[in-house]
Amino acid sequence: MQKLIHEFMVEVEKRNPNEPEFLQAVKEVGETIIPYIQEKKIYSGHNLLLRMTEPERTIIFRVPWVDDKGRIQVNRGYRIQMNSAIGPYKGGLRFHPSVNLSILKFLAFEQTFKNALTTLPMGGAKGGSDFDPRGKSDDEIMRFCHAFMSELYRHIGPNTDVPAGDIGVGAREIGYMFGMYKKLHNDFTGVITGKGMSWGGSLLRPQATGFGAVYFLKAMLESKGEDIKGKRIAVSGFGNVAWGAVTKAAELGAKVVTLSGPDGHIYDEDGISGKKIDFMLELRASNNDVVKPYAEKFGVPYFEGKSPWMQKVDIAMPCATQNELNLDDAKNLVQNGVKCVVEGANMPVMPDAIAWFQKHKILFSPGKASNAGGVATSGLEMSQNSLRIEWSAEEVDRILTKIMGDIHDSCVKFGAREDGYVDYVRGANIAGFVKVADAMLAQGVV
Ligand code: NDP
Ligand code: 2IT
């Protein structure tokens, strides 16, 4: 089996040199899916996994725009349309200086499996730009978003490809991009999700990724007879996903004790709740990349240059970015008695750290399962737009809760081991693969 996996990875590496994040994501899936394909003969002989690693279409384009000083800036825009077997391409847009082809391909690949897990009809995609929103004025953000959409618009549509937000892309950026799409197409459609409430957005979409991750955590704990109430949680990041997770965790009686930024982390022994959660929104809107002002405002300890994984907690929820929790962090967490690790971000835990958690029978859930609540609610926004109606927050929350519970059940179905330990990585990969693979088989070689 190891030989088959090795041969597959050699082929993928040959086709995608210098793309470490993409290869990392493919390897994690290959390690669980290749043995499964060997077991289930209907999936063998169709080169399905290799086909899934090859984007159906990759669009790379120039984004020229003029800054406040009148200088012409040039950024690079991307959209990776990875797989449309089960529905229109769907996935976020990331604006961050680190954005490159490897990162977007890993995200689009993960998105394909994640979207399949939601049970909704959405294919996989991701896009974005190496544009850095930090320090930019509102006018500059608008001009950049308009320039970006003045090319992207011809490649997307409500039945073709429906983008949304991700790192560096929130309600403001979605607004500017939607405005330009509408102007160029002369068409008011649900082409982007994460829209404002007065122009087609869904209630709870901003909170959905973090809420969904906490619902998933709750299901994991309950499967072990444990309650979320009273648990101490370390969260990383202070952006959209972290905010939703902290809000729901606090509401359910857990105590979130950390937040982090690229500068370091804060430790709040009393737990982050109420006005402190509102302050997270101010921090995010400030367009700075530091979490330190939280420590200054609320008089709590700040650990410069240190990740939150050094703290003693029951649960870890990495919600910032990829590869932010390494083997040493995993060792610290396990030594300090962590029970459960739930990925809110995409691929935040490094492969050797995942192996460490699994070796020590710590419950570990991959982002494609536990952060799927965001895209699931995007799917609900698409449905509402098509029906031209607006569901109440209670209705959206009810469906989101059900979807996260169903994803948890799928992971258990395909990931439960004989000794009772659930391998959520294997479970999520197989459940996602089966849905996409069945559709690809039915549609033939296209
Ligand atoms: P935001 O831009 O709102 O927040 C991202 C957070 O991570 C910020 O605190 C940011 O700080 C920090 N961050 C970004 N890059 C780095 C880096 N290289 N090193 C350290 N910290 C960094 O993004 P989201 O909350 O939307 O996204 C967070 C994660 O969740 C991402 O992995 C995203 O792909 C994933 N995700 C998002 C979904 C959504 O609906 N928004 C859905 C599912 C997953 P700063 O920007 O100041 O550097
Ligand atoms: O990674 C993700 O799932 C997202 N950024 C959300 C994608 C979406 O289409 O809502």
Side-chain angles (χ1 to χ4, degrees):
M1 192 58 66
Q2 284 311 315
K3 187 167 169 273
L4 276 181
I5 296 171
H6 177 73
E7 283 168 4
F8 172 74
M9 284 313 298
V10 167
E11 175 64 26
V12 180
E13 274 180 58
K14 204 168 74 192
R15 287 160 178 261
N16 307 279
N18 308 317
E19 295 185 5
E21 293 86 0
F22 179 56
L23 294 170
Q24 181 184 334
V26 171
K27 187 158 186 253
E28 184 234 82
V29 168
E31 280 171 348
T32 50
I33 293 302
I34 292 170
Y36 182 73
I37 292 175
Q38 291 306 302
E39 232 174 77
K40 302 277 171 192
K41 291 294 168 214
I42 52 161
Y43 298 121
S44 63
H46 299 279
N47 224 352
L48 280 165
L49 198 54
L50 195 65
R51 283 156 71 190
M52 287 183 193
T53 66
E54 201 61 42
E56 290 178 13
R57 196 174 296 105
T58 300
I59 302 150
I60 303 182
F61 51 98
R62 179 173 70 192
V63 189
W65 58 282
V66 181
D67 70 17
D68 284 348
K69 296 205 168 86
R71 292 176 305 210
I72 298 168
Q73 303 283 347
V74 185
N75 285 99
R76 190 170 289 175
Y78 303 83
R79 186 71 179 165
I80 315 296
Q81 297 180 332
M82 190 56 114
N83 193 302
S84 63
I86 64 167
Y89 305 109
K90 179 86 195 86
L93 295 171
R94 177 177 291 193
F95 292 168
H96 195 273
S98 64
V99 161
N100 59 33
L101 197 56
S102 170
I103 288 181
L104 294 180
K105 278 171 68 178
F106 116 64
L107 288 162
F109 181 72
E110 291 286 285
Q111 197 82 44
T112 302
F113 291 82
K114 182 195 308 192
N115 292 3
L117 285 170
T118 66
T119 69
L120 302 175
M122 300 182 290
K126 201 82 185 192
S129 174
D130 57 0
F131 173 74
D132 187 356
R134 273 171 298 187
K136 301 290 189 299
S137 70
D138 191 59
D139 282 349
E140 288 177 323
I141 299 274
M142 180 183 75
R143 285 198 292 276
F144 175 79
C145 290
H146 283 171
F148 182 83
M149 187 51 82
S150 71
E151 172 57 34
L152 186 67
Y153 85 98
R154 65 184 101 246
H155 307 289
I156 62 175
N159 296 309
T160 310
D161 184 353
V162 183
D166 192 79
I167 291 179
V169 177
R172 174 180 59 168
E173 292 75 18
I174 294 288
Y176 294 144
M177 287 191 275
F178 180 78
M180 182 52 84
Y181 177 91
K182 179 166 64 65
K183 180 185 169 88
L184 296 174
H185 260 277
N186 193 24
D187 212 10
F188 197 113
T189 60
V191 69
I192 302 186
T193 58
K195 298 186 290 298
M197 299 310 152
S198 61
W199 41 282
S202 173
L203 286 162
L204 287 194
R205 175 63 189 88
Q207 294 87 342
T209 309
F211 276 26
V214 173
Y215 295 154
F216 198 90
L217 161 66
K218 204 164 161 277
M220 289 171 96
L221 290 172
E222 280 166 7
S223 74
K224 292 282 160 216
E226 299 236 22
D227 192 355
I228 187 170
K229 212 168 171 183
K231 293 281 185 300
R232 289 162 53 82
I233 306 181
V235 165
S236 65
F238 63 96
N240 173 265
V241 178
W243 167 71
V246 173
T247 307
K248 184 51 76 177
E251 191 188 309
L252 296 178
K255 205 189 241 192
V256 179
V257 291
T258 68
L259 294 177
S260 73
D263 58 324
H265 76 273
I266 62 93
Y267 178 79
D268 190 338
E269 178 61 35
D270 295 337
I272 301 158
S273 63
K275 284 203 166 55
K276 292 172 171 174
I277 298 177
D278 299 338
F279 185 68
M280 286 178 74
L281 292 178
E282 278 176 47
L283 263 186
R284 194 83 209 97
S286 72
N287 257 5
N288 291 315
D289 61 353
V290 287
V291 77
K292 195 178 177 187
Y294 182 103
E296 286 159 355
K297 187 167 170 76
F298 299 111
V300 302
Y302 167 68
F303 297 84
E304 186 158 1
K306 296 267 190 313
S307 82
W309 318 126
M310 62 186 264
Q311 303 294 351
K312 187 170 165 46
V313 288
D314 303 305
I315 291 149
M317 295 187 77
C319 294
T321 193
Q322 64 275 356
N323 293 331
E324 53 156 318
L325 194 160
N326 63 27
L327 180 58
D328 286 341
D329 297 325
K331 286 181 176 171
N332 267 338
L333 285 165
V334 171
Q335 204 172 2
N336 281 332
V338 78
K339 293 183 169 64
C340 195
V341 180
V342 176
E343 289 190 336
N346 287 306
M347 209 170 75
V349 182
M350 296 172 89
D352 49 3
I354 297 178
W356 190 262
F357 289 133
Q358 292 190 328
K359 186 175 159 200
H360 291 84
K361 301 278 167 72
I362 307 299
L363 297 177
F364 171 81
S365 87
K368 65 181 76 105
S370 40
N371 74 31
V375 74
T377 307
S378 280
L380 303 182
E381 184 170 327
M382 289 165 73
S383 302
Q384 293 169 80
N385 293 161
S386 298
L387 294 165
R388 297 186 190 282
I389 57 168
E390 187 187 308
W391 294 333
S392 65
E394 291 71 30
E395 181 64 358
V396 175
D397 198 37
R398 186 186 66 75
I399 306 176
L400 172 62
T401 307
K402 163 126 183 32
I403 288 174
M404 296 315 294
D406 288 349
I407 297 175
H408 184 266
D409 291 349
S410 298
C411 291
V412 173
K413 178 178 168 194
F414 291 106
R417 291 187 188 156
E418 273 173 10
D419 63 359
Y421 178 73
V422 177
D423 179 344
Y424 286 86
V425 175
R426 179 180 147 85
N429 287 342
I430 296 178
F433 172 82
V434 164
K435 182 159 180 186
V436 178
D438 286 346
M440 287 175 72
L441 286 178
Q443 293 165 23
V445 182
V446 288

